[in-house]
Amino acid sequence: MTLLFEGVSAAVTTPFKDGEIDLESFKNHLQFLKDNDIQAFIINGTTGEGSTLTDSEKKQTIKTAIDVANKEIPVIATTGSNNTQASIDSSLEAKKLGVDGLLIITPYYNKTTQKGAIAHFTAIAEALVDLPIIMYDVPARTGMSLEADTVAKLSKIPNIVGLKDATGDLANLTRMQNLVTDDFAFYGGNDDIALPFYAAGGKGLISVVANVIPSEHQKLYELAQNNPKEAIKLNNLLFPFTDTIGTELNPISIKAVVSHIGFGDYELRLPLVELEDSKVTQLIHSYQSLKEGLNHL
């Protein structure tokens, strides 16, 4: 299978209004992302508060994303869980809706062994057959991680096409790359180390901050391929805002800025809660400072 995408995708936030999904704001945000060079939509993930969405709501967000994408960029649904059969069922539903690929997290809470992880991803891949799957390794949230040998074994399954690596371990990225073929894609999951991830061979990023600076992050990826000096310059400009967003649990910070630029109210679902006004003000100031800096770049 070919790459699902190369460059920067957005782990899209889900806007709420009075406890319900604000589909109009969601649609407008997706259109903004598409118009500003985002390479793929990642729907119903951690940033999209997928763990608090009902099955019906997940279908709504997927359908909306597919409509906006209009087959011009891929729509990737986050359908994994710590229940293998539930992951299969959710993935099959997403496939029926017409998604282009899936993002599947390692089992969390109950976790598993490396042997169990291989069995888990193999069962999902075999049930989906021709739909591309990106595995997702984020030990800070799951309590487990995929070893390089495990990734290498799973990469041999035809429809497992990549890994979202949110471990922050660049040495292990190189270790894994030496064990897989060139057509297996590694996508970064940490905005703050996007540039070194690209330098180490990453094919792109599944980004949180790209929700509000999509074209700038795609430009960073492109510069990293052909103009490292300018890439460093842009990365240094982006970093203070990225660093500020990272001070709070995702997606608490980024949703405040998404709301600020016009895509829905600043509202989260429990157990997440909104930031105090003073912290929101700091976030907005950081965003505005970044935009001013970009204007002078």
Side-chain angles (χ1 to χ4, degrees):
M1 288 189 178
T2 57
L3 287 179
L4 263 173
F5 70 95
E6 183 173 353
V8 178
S9 65
V12 187
T13 56
T14 304
F16 302 116
K17 188 175 183 64
D18 300 324
E20 303 295 326
I21 292 182
D22 181 354
L23 281 177
E24 188 63 25
S25 293
F26 184 61
K27 180 180 179 180
N28 291 339
H29 186 204
L30 289 167
Q31 190 63 54
F32 161 77
L33 294 170
K34 182 182 174 185
D35 291 343
N36 286 276
D37 304 321
I38 213 69
Q39 300 300 299
F41 296 145
I42 312 296
I43 305 300
N44 300 335
T46 304
T47 310
E49 295 175 82
S51 59
T52 67
L53 300 180
T54 66
D55 289 344
S56 175
E57 288 172 332
K58 289 177 182 178
K59 289 179 183 178
Q60 288 180 305
T61 54
I62 290 171
K63 286 179 180 177
T64 302
I66 289 171
D67 287 344
V68 174
N70 195 30
K71 299 187 184 303
E72 294 168 337
I73 61 174
V75 175
I76 300 168
T78 305
T79 54
S81 76
N82 61 342
N83 177 330
T84 304
Q85 187 57 51
S87 299
I88 291 171
D89 294 343
S90 297
S91 299
L92 289 171
E93 283 296 320
K95 183 180 179 180
K96 286 179 187 176
L97 294 173
V99 299
D100 300 287
L102 304 170
L103 181 65
I104 306 289
I105 198 167
T106 58
Y108 43 84
Y109 185 66
N110 51 354
K111 305 188 287 185
T112 188
T113 60
Q114 297 301 301
K115 182 178 178 181
I118 292 170
H120 173 77
F121 283 108
T122 300
I124 296 169
E126 289 178 347
L128 276 298
V129 189
D130 56 350
L131 196 63
I133 291 170
I134 298 171
M135 300 181 293
Y136 182 15
D137 192 4
V138 56
R141 287 186 181 267
T142 64
M144 71 162 293
S145 190
L146 298 175
E147 294 176 1
D149 287 345
T150 299
V151 173
K153 289 174 183 175
L154 288 166
S155 73
K156 293 180 171 60
I157 299 173
N159 59 324
I160 294 182
V161 299
L163 174 73
K164 177 182 177 182
D165 182 355
T167 66
D169 187 346
L170 294 176
N172 198 50
L173 171 61
T174 302
R175 195 173 292 119
M176 291 187 292
Q177 285 181 316
N178 283 328
L179 297 176
V180 303
T181 57
D182 290 342
D183 58 353
F184 187 83
F186 291 96
Y187 300 107
N190 301 81
D191 288 319
D192 57 347
I193 58 168
L195 186 56
F197 192 90
Y198 301 152
K203 288 293 193 292
L205 184 69
I206 297 177
S207 173
V208 173
V209 297
N211 273 283
V212 295
I213 46 170
S215 59
E216 293 84 353
H217 250 288
Q218 178 60 19
K219 183 179 180 181
L220 178 64
Y221 176 77
E222 292 168 1
L223 287 173
Q225 311 311 307
N226 52 47
N227 194 335
K229 186 175 180 180
E230 287 300 309
I232 292 170
K233 187 176 178 181
L234 178 56
N235 185 65
N236 288 345
L237 187 59
L238 296 177
F239 189 81
F241 174 65
T242 301
D243 208 26
T244 301
I245 288 291
T247 59
E248 299 288 341
L249 185 69
N250 181 47
I252 293 172
S253 294
I254 195 63
K255 287 198 81 172
V257 188
V258 171
S259 176
H260 170 73
I261 65 173
F263 302 114
D265 294 345
Y266 181 37
E267 183 176 324
L268 296 120
R269 276 190 176 166
L270 290 172
L272 301 183
V273 294
E274 295 79 14
L275 293 171
E276 299 87 349
D277 290 346
S278 60
K279 290 187 177 180
V280 172
T281 299
Q282 291 173 3
L283 284 170
I284 302 311
H285 176 74
S286 179
Y287 171 76
Q288 291 171 337
S289 296
L290 169 61
K291 298 300 283 187
E292 289 170 9
L294 289 165
N295 289 335
H296 294 96
L297 189 62

